[in-house]
Amino acid sequence: MEKIRIGIVGYGNLGKGAEIGIRQNKDMELVAIFTRRNPDSIKPLTEGVKVYSLDDAKNMKDKIDVMLLCSGSMSDLPVQGPEFAEMFNIVDGFDTHNKIQEYFESVDEKAKQSKKVAVIACGWDPGMFSLSRLFGEVILPEGKTYTFWGKGVSQGHSDAIRRVKGVLDARQYTIPVESAIELVRKGGNPELTTREKHIRECFVVAEEGADKERIEKEIKTMPDYFADYNTIVHFISEEELKEKHSGIPHGGFSIRTGKTGVNNENNHTIEYSLKLDSNPDFTANTLIAYARAAYRLNKEGVFGAKTVFDIPPAYLSPKSGEELRKSLL
């Protein structure tokens, strides 16, 4: 079997999840890991895989078929996406929803110049939930779409809390409001505010002697993160945080409710849900599936930036068309 040669950029939680996930795909092999850290400080789990600095990637264009960009969306991917699309087929999980079009355009330009495929924003949201929303809209054109996230750890919001003066460490959980979910499932098509859909629950380790009242107020009034939500703040010890909040679970629901019939008398609900023990592991496995698609498309002469909307589902699977028709259709 000809194996797809994979490289990983970034060796945080997502990069480590990608390394583990590649092991489960017999048509792939991990060739190299690239990091901004000292390469000697990283010990991969996969025997024989070498770690390089980011600058070394340009010397390995003929050794890697698809590069998985496992870096952050805030500041890393806007730079790395276009940069690596000039050299490789790439896949990433860019997840800043309101900047996806801008990011798409910057990557598309470079990928077209290099005649490579760049699949962007293909985690679970954006990604799998995006497909669910699309299917919901086209099947039930008269209806309403709702997305609920959680219960799960929001790494971006947790980081925002850690930047508050006097905070040593923190975890923030996004929790969907059950009553809102049930109202949606009943087909009532309610108009829900941000505050009515989700709760933010924060577990904070404060420095000794820190003003907890100030910290709590600063968290609850933080624009773009907590100000629009009902936010609960708990102050706990470092030991309790490590013992009870060291995992990275997540998940959520994408729900489309709609009506059909001459008088809209028939109610329908489409629901897609995820419950994840490890957000980065699941996201990494999604990137891996789309890496297979990127490789196949490029072999066929396709190039440019793509999203989950542009990829035929069969291209994600290692099975042949005949196998898919027999086993899944």
Side-chain angles (χ1 to χ4, degrees), residues 8 11-23 45 68 70 278 280-285 288:
I8 293 174
Y11 199 63
N13 291 323
L14 184 58
K16 291 173 183 175
E19 180 187 9
I20 295 168
I22 289 167
R23 295 179 175 189
L45 298 173
L68 302 183
C70 297
S278 171
D281 277 11
F282 186 89
T283 300
N285 277 16
I288 290 166

Side-chain angles (χ1 to χ4, degrees), residues 179-190 255 257 259 267 269:
S179 58
I181 295 176
E182 290 308 311
L183 196 59
V184 169
R185 284 174 174 157
K186 289 177 182 177
N189 288 349
I255 304 173
T257 59
K259 296 178 180 293
N267 294 305
T269 301

Side-chain angles (χ1 to χ4, degrees), residues 6 30 46 51 55 81 90 98 179 186 216 218 235 246 265 267 287 294 296 317:
I6 304 292
L30 178 60
T46 308
V51 182
D55 291 338
I90 66 167
N98 63 354
S179 58
K186 289 177 182 177
E216 181 171 353
E218 195 168 332
F235 289 97
S246 59
E265 68 273 19
N267 294 305
L287 301 188
R296 288 180 172 176
S317 175

Side-chain angles (χ1 to χ4, degrees), residues 296 317-325:
R296 288 180 172 176
S317 175
K319 295 180 179 179
S320 68
E322 181 181 3
E323 288 172 321
L324 288 174
R325 288 187 289 275

